[in-house]
Amino acid sequence: MFKPIETERLIIRKFRSDDFMGLYAYLSDENVVKYEPYEPYTVAQAQREAEFRANSDEFFAVTLKSGRLIGNLYLGKREFCSMELGFVFAAEGQGKGYAAESSSALLDYAFDELGVHRVTAECNPMNVRSWRLMERLGMRREGEFKQNIYFRKDSDGNPIWQDTYQYAILADEWRDKCRKIYK
């Protein structure tokens, strides 16, 4: 059972079905979901998604200590004792260190509580904020895949191909990074 994680400014907790309006507030913003595999959400989609996430072990709500939902984290199970990290934050929550603060806390949880060996993350190379965050977290860029995915099609039905950066960090690397910070 996941217990909420409290950081200096944030609370990372399980989603609740009543989070749908908070979820809608940022997932309906086309700039926020620009690099995501879905279009901006409607209220009905956000309601269904909040219900789904409330029953998922892979999605985590990120709130200010006031309770306001400002984003979400994803920590999905992969093969070989690995997990994949993902994050989406409301426009007003970007550039304030919330993604780094909450992702760091979730990485601590993954490595220390779950015993994960490796955490990966992926992003579009044009999503500079995303890959810079991964690098701030101490993750290393392990690959650049050319035109390996598409989420949308053009008006003729042809895929709009995108590139992907892949990042990763091992448990030992995370612990070494933390030791250096807190020395």
Side-chain angles (χ1 to χ4, degrees):
M1 177 107 179
F2 179 80
K3 290 189 238 174
I5 300 169
E6 189 171 327
T7 67
E8 183 180 335
R9 302 176 295 167
L10 306 169
I11 295 173
I12 299 127
R13 61 167 172 78
K14 298 295 294 170
F15 267 93
R16 299 184 306 247
S17 55
D18 65 354
D19 284 326
F20 75 93
M21 285 308 292
L23 199 58
Y24 171 74
Y26 65 92
L27 292 185
S28 64
D29 184 334
E30 65 184 31
N31 291 317
V32 169
V33 301
K34 179 178 182 178
Y35 298 107
E36 296 301 315
Y38 45 81
E39 298 294 327
Y41 274 43
T42 64
V43 173
Q45 288 172 311
Q47 194 165 13
R48 286 190 299 275
E49 186 67 16
E51 187 67 37
F52 169 78
R53 291 180 183 198
N55 293 301
S56 171
D57 292 331
E58 297 184 331
F59 285 95
F60 301 87
V62 179
T63 70
L64 297 173
K65 288 197 174 173
S66 67
R68 180 179 170 84
L69 182 65
I70 58 162
N72 62 258
L73 298 173
Y74 170 80
L75 193 61
K77 293 178 185 168
R78 299 295 178 262
E79 293 182 309
F80 306 111
C81 203
S82 294
M83 297 190 98
E84 181 180 1
L85 174 69
F87 38 80
V88 179
F89 280 79
E92 70 270 10
Q94 295 178 10
K96 296 179 178 163
Y98 295 144
E101 185 176 328
S102 58
S103 294
S104 291
L106 200 60
L107 286 171
D108 280 341
Y109 170 73
F111 291 128
D112 296 339
E113 301 295 322
L114 301 179
V116 171
H117 171 69
R118 173 183 165 87
V119 174
T120 63
E122 296 181 352
C123 73
N124 183 309
M126 293 172 26
N127 190 348
V128 176
R129 284 186 162 182
S130 187
W131 61 258
R132 282 191 179 154
L133 169 61
M134 293 176 210
E135 291 178 359
R136 251 190 329 273
L137 292 170
M139 300 180 92
R140 118 192 105 268
R141 187 180 302 167
E142 293 188 331
E144 178 178 0
F145 302 101
K146 295 295 187 182
Q147 297 186 11
N148 65 316
I149 60 170
Y150 69 89
F151 303 138
R152 294 168 182 81
K153 294 182 178 183
D154 67 17
S155 58
D156 295 325
N158 299 310
I160 301 171
W161 292 101
Q162 297 183 41
D163 299 344
T164 303
Y165 282 162
Q166 182 168 26
Y167 282 79
I169 190 166
L170 301 173
D172 290 343
E173 293 170 325
W174 180 254
R175 290 182 189 107
D176 286 345
K177 177 184 184 287
C178 291
R179 278 194 284 274
K180 289 174 186 171
I181 291 172
Y182 294 110
K183 258 187 172 177

